[in-house]
Amino acid sequence: MATTAAARIFPSLRAMAANLSRGQGLSFTPQERVSKNLTGLLPHVMEDGNKQCERALKMIRTRSTNIDRYLYLSSIKSQNADLFYRLLVDNAKELMPLVYTPTIGDVCLQYSTIYTRPEALYISIKQRKSMKTILRNWPYPNPEICVVTDGSRILGLGDLGVNGVGIPIGKLALYTAAAGIHPDKTLPIVLDCGTANETNLKDPLYLGLRSKRPSVAEQQEFMDEFMTAAAEVFPNMVVQFEDFESEKAFNYLDRYRDTYKCFNDDIQGTGAVVLGGYIGAVNLSGVPLEEQRLVFMGAGSAGVGVAKQLVEYYTKRGLSEQAARDKFWLVDTKGLVTKDRGDKLAEHKKYFARGDNNGHQFRTLEEVIEYVKPTALVGLTATFGVFTESVVRALKASVDAGGLGRRPILFPLSNPLTKAECTFEQAVTWTDGTVIFASGSPFSQFTAKVGDQAVTYHPNQGNNVYVFPGIGLGAILAKASRVTDNMIYTSAAALAGSLNAEEVHKGLIYPRIERVRDASIIVAREVMKAARRDGVSQLPEDQWLEWEEWGDPALDKFIKANIYDPQL
């Protein structure tokens, strides 16, 4: 009753909210305040954007927990989207970890408790007959990019059900901040099929269906219905799959990739960003290409997706597919993935299953490293500390045995930080400072005493934000009818080439996060060109001929003219 009364008594507040949510906050001029009926609804002061950002940053920095900071940023986004994105663009290093990993993991765990307002489409399997109506209920017309999850495998946290909606919300904020896709053109969706999470099912505040997930076949039917409806209601929208359980992730990607404009960031985006960093790491390692051997700890969707991207890297350098595949040894919870291990291998693991182990099984990571003598170790296990001191020192020893001046490549990529396979400080210490390191979530730089001098080591973050925004933007601007493998591979190569002279001099393998927009423009440009080469760009040929005549600067100008730059 009180809510209804408030809606009747204060209709102007709803109008104010509508005016402010995409407005300028305290930057409104006196004339604008009059025309928008805001006089008296804002303090009698005019402030420029810098002052508004200063106030917001002060509030963020005085909050005691990252969840509190996330909630404050979320309130800014709902009240003044331009201010939110200005903050995020200008303070990427500080604020991106609050909007996405590592904070978003805690947000998802607590989503039903901290929920205050809807920020996505919540589509229940029980509402499947109303799918098109639900999609049309989205208040912003013609979205260009959608991130969809069913919450079945959120980061390294498992099945969180509808609580996983924080992932699409956070991911799309990064599409806007990193690539300039307008926030009104983004659509976060969670498909609620129930959950296997007993904690959620018993939680009286849980916002999702209180039931176990139906059969895989029924979930497949639901997903088919969603893809058909989404393509009909929003025919120009690119769909990004996110945090589906591994078997479903591979299945959905294979099922839809040739019919719809879609890609999977866990499989393809992670693969591309790791490949982009690996290209730089190989150049720094001192180990010849033909001697590179890679052990992957983790054989789920991300692990296999990354490994397949790296296989393509080697085939493009002249190796046969079999010779490239032979450079990879994948390890899961049962040990080295082999054809004769005795268990039933998941379909996605079979591609990398070894058949040259002569019947011998290697049950631990230490045994695998001793057997393989790798030059690179990649972690996608979502298990904190699995890269122990003995493991990392064994990796270094195998690299050192190849000759002087060689450096080990160590990528503990699991998110959030509480799931990282090792820390940056541990990696530096256990390799005596020689490691080429990249992690999934951000670590701080580390200073150690070497002899009489203090040496500062700079970590790399293999964050998917370096590629997925550019892939999405490139597909949108190229009007791609689908997202091809070549477009994904090209995004990695473009990322590797996006470092500036200062970053190269520091020995980095990724651009500084403050330059993520610069990198995204380069990635988007090369993705667009790959779409044209693959025959999937629906732009007029005359437009492409003009860009060919004037080169990359003309294409860059087009991209920059079509992205959102928040103004206050």
Side-chain angles (χ1 to χ4, degrees):
M1 180 67 71
T3 301
T4 304
R8 288 198 304 267
I9 295 169
F10 297 115
S12 61
L13 292 181
R14 288 182 298 175
M16 178 183 72
N19 278 325
L20 293 181
S21 64
R22 289 290 181 265
Q24 303 157 256
L26 295 173
S27 297
F28 280 116
T29 65
Q31 295 77 14
E32 288 170 329
R33 295 179 189 217
V34 170
S35 66
K36 295 177 183 293
N37 298 318
L38 295 175
T39 305
L41 296 176
L42 292 171
H44 190 86
V45 64
M46 282 183 57
E47 290 183 343
D48 63 17
N50 290 335
K51 184 62 68 175
Q52 293 181 69
C53 289
E54 179 185 340
R55 175 182 293 105
L57 285 171
K58 182 175 181 179
M59 286 294 294
I60 292 165
R61 290 164 181 165
T62 55
R63 298 293 166 115
S64 58
T65 70
N66 282 344
I67 287 285
D68 288 340
R69 297 180 185 103
Y70 174 91
L71 292 173
Y72 177 69
L73 280 165
S74 183
S75 72
I76 291 177
K77 184 169 69 168
S78 70
Q79 297 164 24
N80 188 340
D82 289 335
L83 175 58
F84 172 81
Y85 286 108
R86 186 75 269 157
L87 286 165
L88 196 50
V89 170
D90 292 344
N91 303 275
K93 184 175 183 179
E94 179 179 0
L95 300 186
M96 278 190 182
L98 300 177
V99 171
Y100 202 60
T101 56
T103 304
I104 201 67
D106 291 332
V107 170
C108 289
L109 287 171
Q110 303 177 52
Y111 181 79
S112 289
T113 302
I114 63 177
Y115 172 87
T116 55
R117 65 189 175 281
E119 296 180 77
L121 280 181
Y122 307 78
I123 305 178
S124 161
I125 195 168
K126 292 186 177 182
Q127 299 169 311
R128 58 199 298 180
K129 292 182 179 179
S130 304
M131 186 89 71
K132 293 175 187 176
T133 300
I134 293 171
L135 289 167
R136 292 188 178 104
N137 284 342
W138 185 245
Y140 303 105
N142 304 316
E144 295 175 336
I145 186 78
C146 156
V147 176
V148 60
T149 187
D150 71 348
S152 57
R153 196 229 60 185
I154 297 299
L155 301 174
L157 304 172
D159 184 349
L160 299 187
V162 80
N163 284 356
V165 71
I167 294 292
I169 293 168
K171 207 90 177 184
L172 286 165
L174 298 186
Y175 267 105
T176 298
I181 297 174
H182 197 285
D184 288 353
K185 297 298 181 181
T186 66
L187 172 54
I189 297 178
V190 60
L191 302 177
D192 187 2
C193 300
T195 179
N197 188 310
E198 291 292 341
T199 301
N200 285 349
L201 292 173
K202 294 175 183 177
D203 181 359
L205 297 180
Y206 179 59
L207 293 169
L209 290 178
R210 295 179 183 279
S211 62
K212 295 294 181 68
R213 293 180 181 272
S215 67
V216 172
E218 187 173 351
Q219 291 181 69
Q220 176 73 79
E221 291 173 5
F222 183 44
M223 193 68 188
D224 285 346
E225 292 165 10
F226 167 74
M227 293 300 292
T228 300
E232 179 178 327
V233 176
F234 302 125
N236 297 318
M237 184 174 72
V238 176
V239 176
Q240 183 206 298
F241 305 123
E242 186 74 22
D243 283 2
F244 287 84
E245 180 271 326
S246 292
E247 283 296 295
K248 286 188 288 186
F250 280 101
N251 179 32
Y252 293 170
L253 180 60
D254 290 341
R255 189 175 182 89
Y256 305 126
R257 66 194 307 172
D258 294 327
T259 307
Y260 300 103
K261 295 185 279 286
C262 63
F263 71 101
N264 184 300
D265 186 54
D266 300 306
I267 298 171
Q268 296 168 291
T270 301
V273 79
V274 176
L275 173 56
Y278 182 72
I279 292 170
V282 168
N283 294 335
L284 293 173
S285 71
V287 179
L289 210 62
E290 60 272 14
E291 295 182 32
Q292 292 284 345
R293 297 180 302 280
L294 299 94
V295 168
F296 275 64
M297 186 64 194
S301 59
V304 173
V306 169
K308 283 187 173 180
Q309 286 287 345
L310 269 61
V311 165
E312 188 174 0
Y313 167 74
Y314 283 105
T315 59
K316 286 182 180 292
R317 278 151 184 77
L319 273 69
S320 68
E321 183 178 355
Q322 184 60 52
R325 185 165 51 181
D326 286 345
K327 288 184 168 293
F328 296 82
W329 287 260
L330 269 62
V331 183
D332 61 14
T333 56
K334 297 177 181 177
L336 182 66
V337 177
T338 63
K339 294 178 180 178
D340 60 352
R341 197 168 65 177
D343 59 323
K344 180 176 172 55
L345 289 180
E347 195 63 35
H348 67 274
K349 296 182 184 181
K350 293 180 180 178
Y351 181 83
F352 286 105
R354 304 292 303 198
D356 57 355
N357 54 313
N358 297 317
H360 187 68
Q361 305 304 323
F362 301 88
R363 301 298 182 187
T364 68
L365 182 56
E366 286 87 347
E367 289 177 6
V368 173
I369 289 177
E370 176 62 29
Y371 167 61
V372 175
K373 300 288 192 286
T375 57
L377 178 59
V378 178
L380 286 156
T381 63
T383 304
F384 181 76
V386 72
F387 289 173
T388 62
E389 181 173 358
S390 62
V391 164
V392 176
R393 290 196 181 279
L395 170 67
K396 182 180 185 301
S398 70
V399 173
D400 288 347
L404 294 174
R406 298 188 173 200
R407 300 174 63 190
I409 297 171
L410 185 64
F411 286 6
L413 296 172
S414 291
N415 289 314
L417 284 176
T418 55
K419 301 289 185 178
E421 288 77 10
C422 71
T423 69
F424 179 52
E425 182 174 343
Q426 288 170 337
V428 171
T429 302
W430 296 338
T431 61
D432 302 322
T434 62
V435 71
I436 302 170
F437 177 95
S439 58
S441 288
F443 283 99
S444 299
Q445 64 185 33
F446 169 61
T447 301
K449 196 159 188 180
V450 179
D452 295 331
Q453 293 190 337
V455 176
T456 298
Y457 298 91
H458 301 276
N460 292 280
Q461 184 188 357
N463 191 325
N464 290 25
V465 75
Y466 285 118
V467 291
F468 72 76
I471 293 170
L473 179 62
I476 291 166
L477 294 182
K479 296 188 176 179
S481 58
R482 59 190 179 89
V483 179
T484 66
D485 285 342
N486 190 43
M487 290 163 69
I488 300 295
Y489 183 88
T490 297
S491 73
L495 173 61
S498 69
L499 279 72
N500 62 25
E502 177 191 357
E503 290 157 349
V504 171
H505 179 72
K506 280 187 172 181
L508 299 180
I509 57 176
Y510 293 107
R512 292 179 298 106
I513 196 67
E514 294 89 345
R515 291 189 55 249
V516 67
R517 270 215 171 190
D518 296 337
S520 292
I521 288 171
I522 294 170
V523 169
R525 177 226 298 156
E526 297 305 317
V527 166
M528 290 179 69
K529 289 155 68 175
R532 192 229 184 170
R533 289 193 300 271
D534 289 348
V536 298
S537 172
Q538 296 173 315
L539 288 173
E541 184 62 15
D542 287 349
Q543 178 71 81
W544 282 111
L545 292 175
E546 179 184 325
W547 287 332
E548 279 189 348
E549 178 182 354
W550 294 101
D552 288 345
L555 189 47
D556 288 348
K557 183 177 180 180
F558 170 80
I559 294 170
K560 291 176 182 177
N562 282 278
I563 61 177
Y564 163 75
D565 184 29
Q567 300 296 319
L568 299 175

